[in-house]
């Protein structure tokens, strides 16, 4: 048993009776019995029944002891909360320590013991607070939890939240990321570089590293710094695409700043997540509909989107505006109608990650307190006979697929200063199995952005004159490296096929090289497919 597995096995303690009943129940499920029927057939002497995590614990014990062989189909039947890894990876969220925020947004709560904008009872913030914001402990505890409920943890997307990442001192950022890698590696390294090298072959490999920050804190120097840490995706709070609304809410940056930051991140190959907030001070449902359309018409074109309706919190300055009668929160029905109106317009290349923040209802002083807005909107769309075509609504999840039956599509769209190709494989009923984001930079002369992009190329020369692979993602249940499930999209060769198609498109467009923004734990994957390490990226020459 590996040291990491020993630690995971110790995460929970069970009685002899629980282990005995779990073993009997697991054998019955393995023989074909319905999971819940098998569980109900063996009540505990003290009352109640064994939980799924007990079945998962015994399953791992049997594998470690050699009593049974790995059985992904069985594990899928006993796994708790399977949706958490149905997008192909397991996400681990951590928070940075409290630190001064450069913004003064009136909608933002401010607890001196938490990073700006977070509340203690939000799930991620609560875990961070319990672990005293220690990055190693936060990652380790989340990995323990995933393992205990039966989720693969060999492919980890690390999501670092906590406000404006690029406003923290670089020494703290380096230490924080290094300790996260130490936790994934199961051992302490002497430096960040050593930790990254260890992670390339670790049990828990980092396949994506996400930070969040403000648009006005993005510049070529920060981008180079983020790549040295291994960052592959950036979340930014756009909040609105109307300068008057941004000014009323004291956001502190312009729409143009968001556009320039988005363009610069795209030029560096990052995946881009934008936050958008309806019901800001000064907005109406009608103006929000127009504002939402600017996201696409204006060339922002995010890869992922978080819709965060403004929630009235006593801890935020906006509360005083409400008390004076200067702000009116939308009702639940107004929000449902608004989001149902705009959701069908979302392009097929964007994933809507969230439709509401996970803020406990007791914090919200007026307006909607619904945490199930996504489900409410889906019901409204069904009632209208309409559909959303965003990535999340089309993921195959646990559906079985045959690679030879999938349909290939190259969806081309124009983002600011880039021609984007959303290469994707889908089923005949439009379920998405996998995709690749390919960007061709558009040259603009005598332009402020052109100067910033030139500065970026000075810092990261491997980007110049290159086609950019910004993301490769295959959907379905996350599988351990080297494992397979019949009919699963992962490990079926779709990623390799998408890379070859991207290379051919780049060649046809006249490019001599193609670079990919590889996460630390995916470097070996790309090396096996002809890419070599080149500065902060991986490059393949096009012959």
């Amino acid at each position: 048993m590996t040291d990491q597995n020993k630690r995971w096995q110790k995460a929970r303690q069970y009685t002899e009776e629980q282990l005995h009943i779990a073993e009997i129940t697991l054998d019955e499920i393995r023989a074909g019995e319905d999971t819940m029927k098998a569980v109900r057939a063996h009540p505990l002497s003290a009352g109640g029944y064994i939980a799924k995590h007990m079945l998962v614990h015994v399953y791992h014990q049997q594998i470690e002891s050699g009593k049974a062989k790995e059985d992904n189909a069985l594990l899928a039947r006993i796994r708790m909360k399977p949706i958490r890894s149905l997008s192909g990876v397991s996400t681990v969220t951590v928070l940075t320590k409290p630190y001064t925020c450069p913004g003064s947004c009136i909608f933002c709560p401010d607890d001196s013991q938490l990073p700006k904008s977070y509340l203690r009872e939000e799930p991620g913030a609560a875990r961070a607070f319990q672990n005293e914001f220690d990055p190693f402990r936060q990652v380790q505890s989340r990995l323990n939890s995933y393992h205990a409920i039966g989720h693969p943890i060999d492919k980890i997307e690390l999501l670092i939240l906590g406000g404006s990442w690029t406003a923290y001192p670089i020494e703290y950022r380096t230490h924080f990321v290094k300790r996260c890698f130490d936790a994934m590696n199961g051992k302490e390294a002497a430096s960040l570089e050593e930790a990254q090298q260890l992670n390339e072959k670790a049990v828990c490999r980092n396949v994506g590293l996400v930070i969040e920050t403000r648009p006005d804190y993005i510049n070529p120097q920060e981008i180079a710094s983020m790549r040295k840490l291994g960052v592959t995706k950036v979340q930014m709070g756009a909040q609105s695409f109307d300068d008057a609304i941004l000014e009323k809410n004291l956001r502190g940056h312009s729409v143009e700043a968001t556009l320039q930051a988005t363009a610069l991140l795209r030029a560096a190959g990052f995946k881009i997540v934008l936050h958008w907030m309806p019901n800001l001070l000064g907005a109406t449902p009608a103006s929000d509909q127009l504002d939402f359309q600017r996201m696409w018409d204006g060339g922002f074109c995010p890869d992922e989107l978080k819709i965060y309706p403004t929630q009235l919190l006593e801890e935020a300055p906006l509360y005083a505006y409400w008390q004076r009668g200067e702000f009116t929160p939308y009702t639940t029905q107004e929000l449902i109608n608004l989001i149902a109106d705009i959701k069908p317009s979302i392009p097929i290349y964007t994933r809507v990650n969230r439709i509401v923040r996970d803020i406990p209802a007791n914090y919200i002083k007026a307006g909607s307190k619904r945490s199930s807005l996504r489900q409410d909107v889906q019901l409204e769309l069904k009632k209208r006979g309409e559909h959303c075509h965003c990535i999340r609504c089309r993921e195959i999840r646990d559906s079985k697929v045959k690679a030879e039956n999938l349909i290939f599509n190259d969806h081309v769209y124009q983002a600011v200063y880039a021609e984007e190709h959303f290469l994707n494989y889908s089923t005949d009923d439009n379920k998405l199995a996998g995709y690749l984001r390919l960007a061709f930079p558009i040259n603009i002369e005598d332009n402020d952005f052109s100067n910033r992009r030139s500065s970026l190329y000075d810092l990261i020369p491997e980007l110049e004159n290159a086609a950019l692979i910004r993301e490769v993602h295959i959907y379905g249940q996350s599988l351990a490296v080297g494992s397979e499930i019949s009919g699963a999209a992962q490990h079926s060769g779709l990623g390799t096929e998408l890379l070859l198609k991207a290379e051919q498109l780049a060649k046809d467009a006249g490019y001599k090289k193609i670079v990919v923004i590889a996460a630390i734990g995916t470097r070996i994957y790309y090396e096996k497919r002809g890419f070599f390490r080149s500065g902060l990226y991986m490059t393949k020459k096009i012959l």
Side-chain angles (χ1 to χ4, degrees):
M1 184 183 291
T2 67
D3 290 340
Q4 276 195 330
N5 278 339
K6 287 178 182 177
R7 188 177 72 240
W8 293 326
Q9 296 286 14
K10 290 178 181 178
R12 296 176 186 263
Q13 297 295 324
Y14 303 111
T15 67
E16 289 297 323
E17 181 194 22
Q18 288 172 331
L19 293 172
H20 177 66
I21 290 180
E23 188 161 6
I24 294 172
T25 306
L26 188 61
D27 287 342
E28 291 180 1
I29 297 170
R30 188 181 277 116
E33 182 63 270
D34 175 78
T35 301
M36 294 315 298
K37 187 175 180 180
V39 168
R40 297 287 179 181
H42 303 286
L44 295 166
S45 60
Y49 303 91
I50 59 169
K52 278 189 174 181
H53 59 76
M54 298 179 194
L55 296 175
V56 172
H57 178 82
V58 169
Y59 168 85
H60 286 305
Q61 279 193 330
Q62 290 178 346
I63 302 304
E64 290 287 350
S65 66
K67 185 176 180 179
K69 295 182 178 180
E70 289 192 18
D71 185 340
N72 285 308
L74 174 63
L75 186 56
R77 294 176 66 190
I78 62 175
R79 178 179 290 121
M80 294 176 63
K81 301 179 180 178
I83 196 171
R84 288 186 176 175
S85 53
L86 280 181
S87 289
V89 299
S90 298
T91 300
V92 171
T93 301
V94 295
L95 261 72
T96 49
K97 69 180 181 181
Y99 192 72
T100 303
C101 177
S104 302
C105 312
I106 65 172
F107 49 79
C108 212
D110 192 4
D111 182 333
S112 63
Q113 294 185 299
L114 290 166
K116 184 75 175 289
S117 89
Y118 286 89
L119 297 165
R120 192 162 310 179
E121 291 183 35
E122 288 182 274
R127 287 194 298 268
F129 194 80
Q130 290 166 1
N131 287 290
E132 299 176 308
F133 300 98
D134 181 273
F136 185 95
R137 287 167 54 191
Q138 288 184 71
V139 172
Q140 186 182 65
S141 65
R142 201 70 182 125
L143 293 178
N144 290 346
S145 297
Y146 270 135
H147 188 266
I149 60 178
H151 288 265
I153 51 176
D154 71 316
K155 286 179 283 190
I156 298 297
E157 180 180 59
L158 181 66
L159 178 55
I160 302 176
L161 303 180
S164 301
W165 170 258
T166 44
Y168 283 78
I170 186 60
E171 296 79 11
Y172 174 76
R173 287 181 267 165
T174 303
H175 168 78
F176 194 96
V177 172
K178 187 256 184 190
R179 290 300 286 158
C180 287
F181 274 105
D182 284 344
M184 287 184 283
N185 296 338
K187 64 182 297 184
E188 184 171 355
S191 64
L192 172 63
E193 292 74 21
E194 182 185 335
Q196 291 174 332
Q197 290 173 1
L198 289 171
N199 191 254
E200 292 182 19
K201 297 181 179 179
V203 173
C204 303
R205 298 182 197 177
N206 176 241
V207 299
L209 203 168
V210 192
I211 60 94
E212 63 175 356
T213 192
R214 295 167 54 92
D216 49 339
Y217 271 63
I218 295 294
N219 56 52
Q221 292 74 26
E222 287 295 352
I223 283 178
S225 174
M226 287 190 288
R227 280 305 298 143
K228 289 175 184 177
L229 296 177
V231 176
T232 57
K233 183 189 297 185
V234 175
Q235 297 193 51
M236 289 192 299
Q239 321 307 19
S240 174
F241 302 96
D242 182 327
D243 279 326
I245 295 294
L246 291 174
E247 187 174 350
K248 274 189 176 183
N249 289 270
L250 304 185
R251 179 60 183 162
H253 65 76
S254 65
V255 175
E256 180 63 20
T258 303
L259 186 65
Q260 293 296 321
T262 301
L264 199 59
L265 288 168
R266 195 182 302 274
F270 287 89
K271 278 76 72 179
I272 299 163
V273 188
L274 293 185
H275 299 179
W276 179 70
M277 295 183 67
N279 197 193
L280 287 168
L281 179 67
T284 66
S287 71
D288 278 334
Q289 283 204 44
L290 294 173
D291 193 60
F292 190 77
Q293 198 56 44
R294 295 186 188 107
M295 200 180 322
W296 323 107
D297 296 343
F300 300 89
C301 305
D303 305 309
E304 299 176 18
L305 175 64
K306 289 184 175 180
I307 299 175
Y308 283 152
T310 305
Q311 293 169 304
L312 186 65
L313 310 172
E314 191 172 1
E315 296 81 1
L318 184 61
Y319 184 73
Y321 289 75
W322 174 72
Q323 287 180 311
R324 296 193 300 265
E326 299 171 17
F327 173 73
T328 303
Y330 296 168
T331 66
T332 297
Q333 194 57 53
E334 284 177 317
L335 278 174
I336 291 171
N337 291 339
L338 169 62
I339 298 171
D341 286 343
I342 62 178
K343 211 165 184 293
S345 69
I346 296 171
I348 66 168
Y349 56 79
T350 297
R351 186 180 196 270
V352 181
N353 296 342
R354 280 189 174 272
I355 285 185
V356 65
R357 265 187 72 173
D358 198 6
I359 291 178
N362 59 291
Y363 280 99
I364 303 169
K365 299 305 177 183
S368 177
K369 298 185 179 183
R370 294 280 286 179
S371 61
S372 59
L373 271 179
R374 184 185 290 275
Q375 292 86 343
D376 296 334
V377 170
Q378 287 172 338
L379 288 173
E380 178 63 24
L381 287 173
K382 185 176 181 181
K383 188 190 305 180
R384 298 180 183 186
E386 298 183 61
H387 302 278
C388 175
H389 304 286
C390 84
I391 289 174
R392 178 165 175 154
C393 288
R394 297 188 300 117
E395 294 170 3
I396 59 168
R397 302 204 171 180
D398 57 352
S399 299
K400 303 295 183 183
V401 298
K402 289 186 178 180
E404 61 270 22
N405 293 338
L406 294 173
I407 301 166
F408 174 74
N409 176 52
D410 175 12
H411 179 83
V412 184
Y413 62 98
Q414 295 296 130
V416 63
Y417 308 130
E419 176 183 298
E420 287 279 350
H421 292 254
F422 182 67
L423 312 182
N424 61 91
Y425 279 106
S426 61
T427 62
D428 56 7
D429 60 348
N430 201 31
K431 293 297 183 183
L432 189 63
Y435 63 82
L436 180 149
R437 300 186 189 275
L438 174 67
F440 296 153
I442 296 175
N443 291 322
I444 304 291
E445 300 295 334
D446 300 323
N447 172 288
D448 286 343
F449 173 73
S450 178
N451 294 331
R452 279 190 285 272
R453 189 160 62 184
S454 293
S455 297
L456 179 67
Y457 291 162
D458 289 340
L459 292 168
I460 312 176
E462 58 268 30
L463 289 173
E464 192 166 12
N465 298 320
L468 306 170
I469 294 175
R470 300 193 300 112
E471 182 179 18
V472 180
H473 197 121
I474 307 302
Y475 277 101
Q477 175 62 55
S478 176
L479 300 179
V481 173
S483 67
E484 296 180 1
I485 292 180
S486 177
Q490 287 209 355
H491 301 186
S492 63
L494 290 185
T496 300
E497 285 298 315
L498 286 167
L499 287 169
L500 292 173
K501 289 184 180 296
E503 184 178 343
Q504 186 60 50
L505 281 170
K507 182 178 181 179
D508 294 344
Y511 287 92
K512 302 299 182 185
K513 66 178 180 179
I514 190 166
V515 304
V516 61
I517 184 168
I520 301 302
T522 65
R523 287 173 173 171
I524 293 175
Y525 172 88
Y526 288 110
E527 281 184 333
K528 290 179 178 178
R529 286 152 182 83
F531 290 80
F532 60 90
R533 301 176 193 222
S534 176
L536 302 176
Y537 292 73
M538 300 195 71
T539 300
K540 186 175 184 180
K541 293 180 180 178
I542 300 176
L543 304 177

